[in-house]
Amino acid sequence: AKPDPIIVADHVTRSFGGIRAVDVSHIEFQRGCITGLIGPNGAGKTTLFNLLTGFDRADSGSWSVDGVTVSRMPAYRMARSGVVRTFQLTKALSKLTVLDNVRLGATGQSGERMLGALMPWMWRKQEAEITERAHAMLERFKLETKANDFAGSLSGGQRKLLEMARALMVDPKVIMLDEPMAGVNPALTQSLLGHIKSLGDEGMTVVFVEHDMDVIRDVSDWVVVMAQGAVIAEGPASELSSNSAVVDAYLGSH
Ligand code: ATP
């Protein structure tokens, strides 16, 4: 298929002290594709997610969504531009209900940033359509029976589902999932995989970080490999194990 990138990023760098966590000269994510992002611990995958979704500021670089430059926008503006994410360590507000966590997703904020969005949001008249959409999301992720429970009472896997439900509230074009399967019990793993595939089937652009190569091969259309902050290889998932750079950088280390 002809390339049709929805996100294009160039020369993105981010250092912490002396460590260059991200040093990506070029990366793009194709519209409607499920891209698996892999690489050893410390390769910079999470930092790249943080930069592209406005949760951290790049030292340099530029990127665009659908041709519109969005570099260095804060997270809620990235969400409005159609790019949302979930976290490796889920960030639901544990003392709010499951339903309210999802409703707050409509602000485009996530994690502790939702707290800042909370008061103005509560003072606005509670919009029926937000509540309705939140319930639809809870149905989709089979969390409806938990709607009025504190988010803190959910299992690890249920929190991953809650994060996806929350992220989808803004009707995004791109969802970036940071290790959606980590810390999830086997019973929910299949369900999570199913949800990721469904998003792809619906035409959503999905980027996800994952360490399990079987999962990567099962779910991804395309795989991007990072090591030491840079993209070192990419290609169709089926060609992964025949790529010597991948084997050296990643598979060999496991
Ligand atoms: P993992 O698979 O373990 O999640 P990763 O590929 O997501 O790893 P990052 O978490 O992005 O890698 O880390 C890249 C590098 O940047 C690492 O050396 C890490 O220690 C460093 N780093 C990331 N965030 C910070 C921070 N806030 N302060 C200091 N160093 C950081």
Side-chain angles (χ1 to χ4, degrees):
K2 203 161 139 260
D4 179 19
I6 185 161
I7 294 184
V8 179
D10 288 291
H11 307 295
V12 180
T13 65
R14 177 69 164 113
S15 297
F16 298 103
I19 296 169
R20 206 153 239 223
V22 165
D23 189 356
V24 167
S25 59
H26 181 83
I27 194 168
E28 50 186 60
F29 300 109
Q30 304 300 322
R31 186 186 316 277
C33 271
I34 302 183
T35 301
L37 183 59
I38 65 172
N41 292 334
K45 306 178 297 293
T46 296
T47 303
L48 181 65
F49 268 31
N50 291 344
L51 299 176
L52 295 182
T53 57
F55 281 83
D56 188 16
R57 277 174 79 91
D59 297 328
S60 64
S62 62
W63 54 98
S64 61
V65 177
D66 265 333
V68 177
T69 300
V70 291
S71 334
R72 290 176 196 71
M73 280 185 183
Y76 76 96
R77 289 194 60 200
M78 284 309 300
R80 280 185 208 164
S81 303
V83 181
V84 294
R85 58 89 59 88
T86 65
F87 296 88
Q88 183 178 353
L89 299 172
T90 54
K91 297 197 174 191
L93 299 174
S94 56
K95 292 186 172 142
L96 291 186
T97 65
V98 169
L99 178 64
D100 279 346
N101 270 276
V102 177
R103 288 205 292 192
L104 269 169
T107 65
Q109 295 285 17
S110 49
E112 56 270 33
R113 288 171 200 230
M114 285 203 300
L115 279 174
L118 184 58
M119 292 320 274
W121 176 78
M122 287 205 313
W123 287 329
R124 263 163 55 194
K125 69 175 188 299
Q126 296 198 356
E127 290 159 85
E129 78 227 45
I130 291 178
T131 303
E132 204 175 303
R133 184 169 170 82
H135 278 296
M137 287 299 161
L138 291 178
E139 294 274 356
R140 172 175 186 157
F141 290 98
K142 303 207 165 51
L143 289 171
E144 186 56 31
T145 58
K146 308 275 179 194
N148 298 315
D149 296 355
F150 289 126
S153 72
L154 297 183
S155 73
Q158 289 169 334
R159 282 173 206 227
K160 299 277 188 179
L161 294 171
L162 171 58
E163 287 242 305
M164 289 174 77
R166 185 265 308 150
L168 291 175
M169 281 297 286
V170 297
D171 197 13
K173 302 177 199 169
V174 182
I175 186 164
M176 306 184 81
L177 308 169
D178 198 352
E179 301 203 26
M181 249 70 73
V184 175
N185 68 43
L188 269 184
T189 303
Q190 282 312 316
S191 150
L192 262 162
L193 281 175
H195 284 298
I196 295 173
K197 287 180 183 171
S198 305
L199 289 170
D201 292 343
E202 289 162 24
M204 180 94 61
T205 304
V206 180
V207 184
F208 77 116
V209 175
E210 175 56 46
H211 287 286
D212 185 325
M213 298 309 289
D214 291 330
V215 169
I216 287 283
R217 266 185 277 264
D218 180 22
V219 183
S220 324
D221 303 307
W222 193 258
V223 179
V224 174
V225 188
M226 286 183 73
Q228 296 180 329
V231 173
I232 59 158
E234 61 181 306
S238 53
E239 291 170 16
L240 205 56
S241 45
S242 57
N243 184 314
S244 62
V246 177
V247 174
D248 291 349
Y250 189 61
L251 303 177
S253 69
H254 277 231

